[in-house]
Amino acid sequence: MKKRMIVRTLFLVIIFSAITYTVYSNFIKETYELVKIGDIAPDFILEDLNGEKHKLSDYKGKGVVLNFWATYCDPCKEEMPDLEENYIKYKSKGVEILAINNAQTTFEVKKFTKNISFPILIDHSIVVFKSYNIDAIPTSIFIDFEGTVKKISVGGLTNKAIQENVELIIPNR
């Protein structure tokens, strides 16, 4: 009887500790502010679907669109063809698009992006998502030729909206 009481008490202490930790970590956790307009975009290195490494700072001198997305996201699916169209239109003007997927498998991503010509990067450890504090997808960040964030757009973009935002980051205008 005494052993049973000790085991029950120990079990209750463990459950209470787990609940306390969960509540604490959800309400008291450290939060990071989303990268703001005017900030220098945090640098990163990610691999594309072919294993080639892409470092954001290597694109200095170009306008860059970072598009954070996932294959299960309907607005992501809708805007991907418009991103491709704008990539073809603006690449010769010094604008790059880097699509950053949130840790899905290479198989899933390749299947989804077979008609896309801009670099598709997979953030396997979600490090870039965390450094940019991305909570909602799609999110697009428009960065000018000096590496400064010019526009942040959360949610799906129309073709016209993509064009208007890309116009903000064309180098040497």
Side-chain angles (χ1 to χ4, degrees), residues 84 110-118:
E84 175 65 16
K110 277 186 176 181
K111 184 178 173 186
F112 183 86
T113 60
K114 60 184 170 191
N115 297 319
I116 303 299
S117 60
F118 52 83

Side-chain angles (χ1 to χ4, degrees), residues 31-37 39-46 55-57 59 64-68 98 100 121 123 126-136 139-144 147-152 154:
T31 57
Y32 298 93
E33 210 171 299
L34 181 65
V35 172
K36 296 184 301 287
I37 293 172
D39 288 352
I40 297 297
D43 201 11
F44 61 83
I45 300 173
L46 289 175
K55 185 175 182 181
L56 180 61
S57 57
Y59 290 93
V64 178
V65 179
L66 299 181
N67 179 257
F68 294 88
L98 301 175
I100 304 173
L121 314 177
D123 188 5
I126 313 288
V127 171
V128 178
F129 269 73
K130 287 178 182 175
S131 69
Y132 281 83
N133 199 24
I134 302 298
D135 287 329
T139 294
S140 295
I141 299 179
F142 297 83
I143 303 166
D144 73 7
T148 303
V149 175
K150 290 296 186 184
K151 178 82 181 208
I152 299 169
V154 178

Side-chain angles (χ1 to χ4, degrees), residues 44-151:
F44 61 83
I45 300 173
L46 289 175
E47 285 187 8
D48 65 19
L49 298 175
N50 300 317
E52 185 179 329
K53 292 185 180 196
H54 294 260
K55 185 175 182 181
L56 180 61
S57 57
D58 289 344
Y59 290 93
K60 197 163 187 169
K62 295 184 176 197
V64 178
V65 179
L66 299 181
N67 179 257
F68 294 88
W69 67 284
T71 62
Y72 54 80
C73 162
D74 288 335
C76 300
K77 291 175 189 175
E78 292 171 16
E79 76 178 1
M80 199 61 77
D82 293 332
L83 287 166
E84 175 65 16
E85 182 181 321
N86 284 287
Y87 178 68
I88 292 167
K89 180 178 179 178
Y90 290 102
K91 183 173 175 48
S92 64
K93 295 180 180 180
V95 175
E96 292 288 336
I97 295 177
L98 301 175
I100 304 173
N101 177 272
N102 71 336
Q104 292 183 272
T105 67
T106 302
F107 176 77
E108 288 175 292
V109 174
K110 277 186 176 181
K111 184 178 173 186
F112 183 86
T113 60
K114 60 184 170 191
N115 297 319
I116 303 299
S117 60
F118 52 83
I120 305 295
L121 314 177
I122 301 178
D123 188 5
H124 291 287
S125 58
I126 313 288
V127 171
V128 178
F129 269 73
K130 287 178 182 175
S131 69
Y132 281 83
N133 199 24
I134 302 298
D135 287 329
I137 52 173
T139 294
S140 295
I141 299 179
F142 297 83
I143 303 166
D144 73 7
F145 66 97
E146 294 177 320
T148 303
V149 175
K150 290 296 186 184
K151 178 82 181 208

